[in-house]
Amino acid sequence: MPGPFPMPRWRHLAARLRALVPSDCPLCAGRSRGGMLCAACEDAVCWTARTSPGLGLPWRCARCALPLPEHDTACPDCAGQVPAFTRTIIAFDYAPPADALVLQLKNGRRYGRADLLGNLLAEAVRHQARPLEPGTVLVPIPSSYASLRRRGFNPAAEIARALGRDLALPVRHDLLRRSREQAKQSGLGRLGRREAVRGLYACAPRAGGLRIGLVDDVMTTGSTLHAAAAALRMAGAASVVALAVARTPGQFPAGSRARPRAECRD
Ligand SMILES: [Zn+2]
Ligand SMILES: [Zn+2]
């Protein structure tokens, strides 16, 4: 079933043709293909999410992928509320320069970036020691109506479409819906975000027994993905894995430089 405001089919055909065409790397303008990153930029941007922790990299929370300074550090994003998803796969940390790729899709209407971000997330899935379970169904986080009206599309849905095409997994837009509109989360702290999204999503009973890959563009504290995963589990989903293109590193960034937690406008 198509999602609200889906991109037209010709855009997907165009994406396949574009993959063959020489292009400039979106980050360094070096030689690339199909609007994808060049190999050097892909390595630079994605290596912290693809390489095992301990090899010169910070540890990550096994459940939400937040970078942690030591393997036994308590995860501040999971403390007090164990997420309803079992683990998180990310393509890169939400930090410069790669955060620009997300913003170009979300706020700059560069639709081709959905293919790029979906491809990077698919590569992250392929790099996992534990692959997604067979029969996994992809479910994008639904946009608010205000965001849909503003953008005309749901970035998470377009990333899920590209990811599904790349991994040959089905995408379901009919399982999860918003139960209400909600105020913006930007500017809210961890607890404020948890409260703001409590009960925000409702899930159809037909999710019962399914293994879900829950797709979002940016994971800030994990509150949104938790609320959606909780609704899916309440409806009987067998398991939920969070699949986010980018993870805000928070207090313990995966790079060497401490940064404040970046905000991404919903
Ligand atoms: Zn490049
Ligand atoms: Zn965590």
Side-chain angles (χ1 to χ4, degrees), residues 43-183:
D43 275 353
V45 161
C46 297
W47 74 284
T48 61
R50 290 182 187 171
T51 312
S52 299
L55 301 173
L57 287 169
W59 298 88
R60 285 182 189 272
C61 171
R63 201 175 270 263
C64 78
L66 186 74
L68 301 171
E70 302 289 341
H71 76 279
D72 56 354
T73 308
C75 173
D77 282 350
C78 294
Q81 176 183 266
V82 177
F85 45 84
T86 52
R87 60 180 171 133
T88 300
I89 300 173
I90 61 162
F92 51 79
D93 286 295
Y94 191 65
D99 54 353
L101 302 171
V102 179
L103 294 172
Q104 286 163 4
L105 171 66
K106 293 185 75 168
N107 301 336
R109 293 170 195 269
R110 301 286 297 270
Y111 300 119
R113 294 291 184 262
D115 297 317
L116 165 60
L117 298 173
N119 173 266
L120 293 177
L121 190 48
E123 282 303 312
V125 170
R126 291 191 191 100
H127 274 77
Q128 294 294 303
R130 189 156 51 107
L132 288 179
E133 290 188 76
T136 295
V137 169
L138 302 180
V139 175
I141 295 282
S143 270
S144 67
Y145 282 109
S147 299
L148 275 177
R149 272 197 301 274
R150 190 173 69 244
R151 295 198 180 99
F153 70 103
N154 174 6
E158 297 312 321
I159 290 164
R161 248 183 260 274
L163 181 64
R165 193 170 54 221
D166 209 318
L167 297 177
L169 294 176
V171 182
R172 294 279 297 267
H173 301 272
D174 59 326
L175 297 181
L176 200 59
R177 64 177 174 78
R178 287 202 169 221
S179 51
R180 64 174 192 273
E181 284 292 280
Q182 133 256 30

